[in-house]
Amino acid sequence: MSPTTAHGTAPDTATPFAAQAARAVAGRRCVLAGMSPARLVPRVTQLLELGAAGVFALSARPDSAPAAGRPASARLVWWDAGLASGDQDTLAAEFTRLLSRPTPELAARLDAFDPDRSALVLDTLDTDGAELLHRRRYGHRRPRWTVAEDKVRVHEVWERAGIAAAPETVVPCEPGALAEAVRGLGTAGGTVWAADARDGIHTGARGTRHHPPGADTSALAAEFAGRADRVRVMPFLDGLPCSIHGLVVPGSDAVPVFRPLELLTLRRPDGAFVFAGTSTYWDCPAPRGAELRATARAVGRALRELYGYRGAFTLDGVLTADGFLPTEVNARLGSGLNIDSTRPELAFDLLCRVLREGDPVDVAPALLESTVLDALDRVRHSEAKIRLDAPAEPGLRLALLLGPDGTLRPAGRHDRPDATLRTERSAVGDRVRFQPRTDAFRGHALGSALAGACALGVRELGLRITPLTACVPPAVPGSGATA
């Protein structure tokens, strides 16, 4: 079944989107670089369908995407770097070094594919520089845009946007200064610390820690000293972590914004945050959704005014009982929308690269907004993965049912499961994947269900997972959160 048939959209709806992307890549050789083959496969397919003269797909590591699942085309060359670091940040750093200083084998393979070095590089790492592997990076992130992602400077965006934010202070990474900040800003929930971007932009809750009330400040200060010169301290915000995407369109004052999605952020007993992925199942209550969308538009305008930004961005924060409070901005397209998987005919990732490059776009911002909003509402998606504390046999599976009270229990042999929990092996360690299977979760926050599923995995499958705590959704009427 084609995406058009599956989602009930007329074929010509996607025409202006695909036309913009095809204009950029048709007849051109492209180098597509990314962390895993599984994520590269749909992008490779898309480039070939849009008329790319050839695609060199370069992945950091081999993983679960079998060669048989890759597109078969004389225009495709596939090369796995074979990196296997156990830590995602380290793996990304190793891959970045490889791309900036390719091995003789990689350089020779690339030159055989693209002898005049005219290919466009479409990498997913957002490294600095206009060139990569001596070839032009199309739609790359400009260095001046990265300022917005520095946790100790993002307050500049809030101030320019004129939006409410939680109190915060930025102090040197020194025990005394941090202890004083905790005394001034700590609440019953403690504080949250975020490292600066001294060693590069950090994502996925890495570089951010919860400091519970009464915890040892000096110990956490010592941990941060290895990665930061300055630390942002703010009160712990009790609510639902969420994110909203927007687009800064060159040549237009409009800022299309989309529906909020849930950030699946759990907490370990030691205060460490575990970012497990995202979910579009959650329906933000209408009044709060309007608030988030208005805030995102203001942030998009601020990014344009402060940094000359263009393209996709995400605004992350916490929806509390008193409203939304922002915590960070990502000057890039986040992974949570999943538009390229559910509506590949829109070529959304490539369209965002066109916007970033500043090339002319003939699609009206209002059409961009309405089409993506419709796609997100029709097809819900969640990508949730938790790394295991000890190796486990891959392929272990637990079928789960969602009860009327919002809690999960193991499904019976003849039940149709609402979700599954499955172990898998990856280059960064053994992990468990939680995946909704029915519409039972539609409208609901998944954080509590994810934490409950992991607890069931420990009990039923003998998995080793440190106890995880979900962030409690705010007490907002109609939040649709599971119990």
Side-chain angles (χ1 to χ4, degrees):
M1 181 179 291
S2 71
T4 297
T5 303
H7 309 313
T9 303
D12 60 356
T13 301
T15 300
F17 296 84
Q20 302 296 321
R23 186 184 301 171
V25 302
R28 301 289 300 266
R29 291 187 294 270
C30 297
V31 177
L32 185 62
M35 296 292 280
S36 72
R39 292 193 177 276
L40 290 180
V41 165
R43 296 174 184 266
V44 168
T45 301
Q46 184 180 74
L47 287 171
L48 294 173
E49 290 177 349
L50 290 172
V55 179
F56 189 102
L58 170 60
S59 62
R61 63 184 186 229
D63 72 2
S64 57
R70 300 174 184 176
S73 172
R75 293 179 287 153
L76 173 63
V77 175
W78 201 285
W79 199 83
D80 295 332
L83 304 178
S85 172
D87 175 78
Q88 189 75 6
D89 282 345
T90 303
L91 181 66
E94 290 179 4
F95 193 39
T96 299
R97 284 193 292 271
L98 172 68
L99 295 178
S100 59
R101 298 186 296 274
T103 62
E105 179 188 2
L106 174 56
R109 293 286 295 273
L110 273 168
D111 284 342
F113 167 78
D114 179 45
D116 61 358
R117 297 182 173 177
S118 63
L120 297 179
V121 177
L122 308 173
D123 63 293
T124 60
L125 297 178
D126 271 330
T127 51
D128 292 333
E131 290 189 349
L132 200 61
L133 303 168
H134 309 293
R135 293 161 176 88
R136 177 189 173 194
R137 296 177 64 211
Y138 187 79
H140 70 283
R141 181 171 61 184
R142 276 53 176 177
R144 66 183 182 275
W145 297 346
T146 63
V147 173
E149 297 205 33
D150 191 335
K151 308 296 191 296
V152 304
R153 294 193 59 180
V154 71
H155 63 87
E156 299 169 11
V157 177
W158 315 148
E159 292 165 3
R160 177 59 68 94
I163 60 176
E168 65 173 62
T169 185
V170 176
V171 299
C173 189
E174 185 272 323
L178 286 162
E180 183 178 351
V182 167
R183 284 192 295 271
L185 291 172
T187 64
T191 55
V192 175
W193 298 10
D196 62 19
R198 183 193 74 183
D199 295 339
I201 300 301
H202 49 88
T203 61
R206 294 178 287 269
T208 304
R209 288 291 298 272
H210 177 217
H211 183 265
D216 186 349
T217 301
S218 60
L220 191 54
E223 180 181 327
F224 270 73
R227 65 177 307 158
D229 294 325
R230 296 190 297 161
V231 177
R232 181 188 71 184
V233 180
M234 61 190 303
F236 174 79
L237 301 176
D238 188 16
L240 185 71
C242 57
S243 178
I244 184 167
H245 286 68
L247 298 177
V248 178
V249 181
S252 172
D253 293 332
V255 179
V257 295
F258 310 124
R259 70 191 312 276
L261 55 86
E262 180 185 5
L263 297 175
L264 296 171
T265 307
L266 308 177
R267 293 200 305 276
R268 296 185 186 273
D270 65 356
F273 288 110
V274 177
F275 177 68
T278 59
S279 169
T280 64
Y281 280 87
W282 175 58
D283 285 338
C284 184
R288 296 307 190 195
E291 174 191 347
L292 262 74
R293 287 165 55 79
T295 301
R297 290 192 208 280
V299 166
R301 290 191 292 268
L303 292 174
R304 179 194 290 125
E305 295 165 5
L306 286 170
Y307 314 115
Y309 187 74
R310 55 183 182 259
F313 68 94
T314 68
L315 170 65
D316 295 353
V318 179
L319 182 59
T320 72
D322 297 322
F324 174 78
L325 292 174
T327 57
E328 64 181 82
V329 166
N330 297 308
R332 50 192 159 82
L333 178 63
S335 61
L337 289 183
N338 199 46
I339 293 294
D340 277 351
S341 295
T342 58
R343 292 290 303 278
E345 75 278 11
L346 297 181
F348 188 70
D349 178 77
L350 278 172
L351 182 63
C352 289
R353 290 181 182 274
V354 173
L355 295 176
R356 262 192 174 186
E357 202 66 19
D359 288 348
V361 175
D362 297 332
V363 182
L367 179 60
L368 269 170
E369 181 172 287
S370 63
T371 304
V372 174
L373 280 171
D374 177 71
L376 290 171
D377 184 61
R378 286 172 180 266
V379 180
R380 305 302 177 94
H381 172 79
S382 179
E383 186 79 11
K385 291 172 285 191
I386 297 287
R387 188 170 174 179
L388 298 174
D389 296 333
E393 179 184 346
L396 297 177
R397 183 178 182 273
L398 180 62
L400 300 165
L401 291 178
L402 183 66
D405 62 350
T407 60
L408 289 170
R409 59 181 174 84
R413 185 173 181 179
H414 301 292
D415 290 329
R416 180 192 180 198
D418 293 313
T420 55
L421 194 70
R422 182 188 296 271
T423 58
E424 59 185 25
R425 193 144 286 164
S426 78
V428 295
D430 289 358
R431 63 192 182 189
V432 66
R433 183 189 297 265
F434 174 77
Q435 194 167 8
R437 296 291 182 181
T438 71
D439 273 347
F441 295 93
R442 188 180 179 95
H444 299 312
L446 286 187
S448 295
L450 174 59
C454 289
L456 287 172
V458 171
R459 190 185 79 187
E460 302 291 330
L461 301 178
L463 304 179
R464 293 282 301 277
I465 306 174
T466 300
L468 298 170
T469 303
C471 296
V472 179
V476 177
S479 65
T482 57

